Amino acid sequence: NAGVMQNPRHLVRRRGQEARLRCSPMKGHSHVYWYRQLPEEGLKFMVYLQKENIIDESGMPKERFSAEFPKEGPSILRIQQVVRGDSAAYFCASSPREGAGTEAFFGQGTRLTVV
Amino acid sequence: GEDVEQSLFLSVREGDSSVINCTYTDSSSTYLYWYKQEPGAGLQLLTYIFSNMDMKQDQRLTVLLNKKDKHLSLRIADTQTGDSAIYFCAEDKAAGNKLTFGGGTRVLVKP
């Protein structure tokens, strides 16, 4: 059973371009979470999705950021018109169900660099 | 200020015990977690403790929870060079896995 797979591992974008980050949860997991880690900081919650639904997007910036988790395929975090401040590591986590104490498994992250 | 706070850095000699401290603010948190992050890698869940417990031990790891002071600690016995990493504590503020992380403690184990 493969773990949470994120790709690409590293992504370089010029200012103004779009970045698309993909996350395939563990098999059997229908709950996906995205976190952002700025340099030298902890992880900050961005969004929580279940299949075809956004459950909680309270941590998403109001503009340029969007996320989806379609019925088929990976979850996508999209950042439009990237700026230097978007440079960070973006981590995806998945769990088989909701509920405190349910272990969330993290992917290895996508490190986005905006030049 | 930050909801979850940790000291930035800890240096320890191989074979000694390490103690990493964390304070949190939300008394309604039900679970508190410790994650390990090695350079360039994702987060690995080390252990977690339910809020009605005071202590949890798992091999070399001991978690202590003081609910009154909202203080959490992770003790690593017989610290090894492979334990060098960043350690994050995290709390859940709501049902599910929406975690609030501390800023991480960088642990350096010296031979």
Side-chain angles (χ1 to χ4, degrees):
Chain A
N1 188 3
V4 177
M5 303 300 292
Q6 290 188 248
N7 68 83
R9 291 288 309 278
H10 299 274
L11 181 62
V12 178
R13 283 287 176 267
R14 293 189 183 279
R15 281 179 295 171
Q17 291 185 319
E18 177 180 287
R20 290 171 66 91
L21 288 62
R22 295 175 188 77
C23 169
S24 295
M26 288 183 69
K27 187 177 179 181
H29 288 194
S30 58
H31 300 254
V32 166
Y33 307 79
W34 285 94
Y35 290 82
R36 176 166 64 176
Q37 184 180 31
L38 295 171
E40 305 300 322
E41 293 188 14
L43 280 72
K44 305 289 186 195
F45 169 80
M46 298 181 76
V47 62
Y48 163 36
L49 310 105
Q50 293 180 24
K51 284 285 188 182
E52 300 184 277
N53 287 303
I54 297 174
I55 307 301
D56 182 343
E57 56 181 347
S58 57
M60 288 280 269
K62 297 290 182 234
E63 297 176 347
R64 302 188 296 108
F65 284 72
S66 62
E68 63 177 9
F69 188 17
K71 188 176 179 181
E72 301 290 338
S75 175
I76 305 288
L77 179 68
R78 178 199 279 183
I79 311 171
Q80 296 177 297
Q81 298 175 310
V82 295
V83 300
R84 288 241 170 93
D86 296 332
S87 294
Y90 292 83
F91 289 95
C92 168
S94 74
S95 66
R97 59 188 175 277
E98 186 178 340
T102 303
E103 182 176 352
F105 293 83
F106 281 80
Q108 291 191 298
T110 293
R111 279 154 181 83
L112 172 66
T113 302
V114 179
V115 297
Chain B
E2 290 291 325
D3 293 337
V4 181
E5 294 191 352
Q6 301 177 237
S7 53
L8 287 177
F9 185 74
L10 175 67
S11 180
V12 63
R13 292 209 174 276
E14 189 176 12
D16 289 349
S17 292
S18 310
V19 179
I20 308 166
N21 295 302
C22 172
T23 57
Y24 61 99
T25 58
D26 193 336
S27 58
S28 66
S29 296
T30 52
Y31 284 88
L32 296 130
Y33 303 83
W34 282 104
Y35 283 87
K36 177 184 180 183
Q37 184 182 35
E38 296 184 75
L43 274 73
Q44 174 193 355
L45 178 65
L46 288 178
T47 187
Y48 63 90
I49 188 167
F50 188 49
S51 59
N52 70 351
M53 297 171 65
D54 298 324
M55 185 182 87
K56 180 179 179 181
Q57 187 151 5
D58 183 1
Q59 299 182 337
R60 291 192 297 124
L61 305 178
T62 303
V63 180
L64 295 176
L65 175 60
N66 181 330
K67 280 198 75 175
K68 175 175 169 292
D69 296 336
K70 299 191 186 68
H71 183 265
L72 181 74
S73 68
L74 174 69
R75 179 177 179 270
I76 306 173
D78 187 24
T79 311
Q80 304 297 308
T81 54
D83 295 326
S84 291
I86 302 176
Y87 291 79
F88 293 96
C89 66
E91 60 174 349
D92 69 349
K93 290 188 165 184
N97 286 292
K98 179 181 174 182
L99 301 175
T100 300
F101 284 84
T105 299
R106 187 179 298 271
V107 173
L108 176 64
V109 182
K110 296 181 179 179

